[in-house]
Amino acid sequence: MSENPLQLLFQAFGKVSECVQTHLSQFVLRPIGSSPSPSTKNQSPLVSLSSHSTPDSHLLQPGEILIKGKSSGPTTKEELGRATWTFLHTLAAQYPDKPTRQQKKDVKELMAILSRLYPCKECADHFKEVIRANPVEAGSHHEFSQWLCHVHNVVNRSLGKVVFPCERVDARWGKLECEQRACDLHGTSIFNGAK
Ligand code: FAD
């Protein structure tokens, strides 16, 4: 029985695509002819794209690597922001109803340190002003998560972003999923409560 020519074409394309994916996933790539950057000097030799590249293939920039078919370069300000807010809101979600004196001190210090060391100077400087105008409130889980939501909204407004409804903050940000609440901060889990 003769096969449909289109079907044969799709099959061939599928095989080529599979082959390319298999090969690329084995390599860490860098632009042809470039020398390794200082940070890659001690790593295993990198393989160039020469035998696989086509005239319009994407030449990776120094420091860029291929991970599961996606190129990943330096972190952007937006990615850093999202990751940091995720960290902070998750911390607030786990912050105890009755924090210890040390925990209250720690979150205040953390915010102060963030306003000095956050690796985007423009953001750090702005955040310093934000926390000066809105001193950290960390007397309880509710207080801290609402304060954080508020200051995140101050940043949102300054960037022309939508303001988040803070009454929904507990629904948006939950505690970290760990078996038997093993990731909870001291004072938040049933085990600590039983002590
Ligand atoms: P993000 O603002 O990163 O928010 C991530 C998620 O949090 C959202 O998708 C939403 O589900 C949720 N969310 C949004 N608002 C709230 C809220 N109020 N409460 C609870 N959850 C909320 N970028 C600049 O360009 N300039 C700056 O000066 C600047 N300052 C920053 C200061 C700090 C301390 C941080 C952590 C980040 C700063 N950023 C700044 C980055 C910026 O805030 C965003 O993270 C970035 O623009 C990506 O925005 P996004 O729209 O993906 O959502």
Side-chain angles (χ1 to χ4, degrees):
M1 196 172 78
S2 66
E3 288 192 67
N4 179 344
L6 266 181
Q7 199 179 345
L8 287 173
L9 194 67
F10 283 135
Q11 278 172 2
F13 181 79
K15 279 183 188 152
V16 171
S17 155
E18 203 175 293
C19 175
V20 168
Q21 279 180 26
T22 309
H23 279 78
L24 286 182
S25 67
Q26 292 165 1
F27 298 141
V28 173
L29 303 156
R30 68 177 165 85
I32 302 160
S34 73
S35 56
S37 66
S39 62
T40 58
K41 264 185 189 157
N42 297 328
Q43 292 171 4
S44 56
L46 300 173
V47 181
S48 85
L49 251 182
S50 56
S51 60
H52 303 285
S53 61
T54 59
D56 56 355
S57 62
H58 168 65
L59 284 182
L60 296 166
Q61 298 303 306
E64 229 184 341
I65 57 168
L66 200 75
I67 301 168
K68 289 187 181 170
K70 276 177 73 181
S71 66
S72 96
T75 304
T76 64
K77 192 165 65 172
E78 284 70 29
E79 288 167 343
L80 177 69
R82 278 190 287 275
T84 307
W85 288 122
T86 298
F87 161 65
L88 292 174
H89 288 295
T90 306
L91 172 65
Q94 298 197 179
Y95 193 72
D97 291 330
K98 290 185 179 151
T100 62
R101 200 180 304 171
Q102 185 65 46
Q103 285 168 329
K104 289 186 229 176
K105 189 168 171 271
D106 285 348
V107 285
K108 285 177 189 173
E109 266 176 30
L110 177 65
M111 296 303 148
I113 290 168
L114 204 61
S115 76
R116 295 196 295 272
L117 281 184
Y118 190 74
C120 150
K121 188 172 180 323
E122 154 205 346
C123 312
D125 289 347
H126 180 224
F127 196 57
K128 210 175 284 169
E129 286 173 28
V130 174
I131 57 173
R132 198 174 293 142
N134 301 275
V136 183
E137 292 172 19
S140 65
H141 157 74
H142 180 76
E143 219 177 85
F144 183 51
S145 57
Q146 289 298 307
W147 173 85
L148 187 62
C149 181
H150 174 68
V151 294
H152 190 165
N153 276 337
V154 174
V155 175
N156 285 344
R157 263 190 223 100
S158 75
L159 297 175
K161 290 182 192 287
V162 179
V163 164
F164 187 90
C166 288
E167 66 276 10
R168 302 212 55 238
V169 80
D170 283 346
R172 168 66 179 86
W173 299 100
K175 292 179 180 181
L176 197 60
E177 276 189 16
C178 277
E179 268 181 36
Q180 300 185 313
R181 304 242 59 93
C183 302
D184 284 6
L185 292 182
H186 174 78
T188 48
S189 76
I190 48 170
F191 306 107
N192 284 327
K195 276 180 191 168

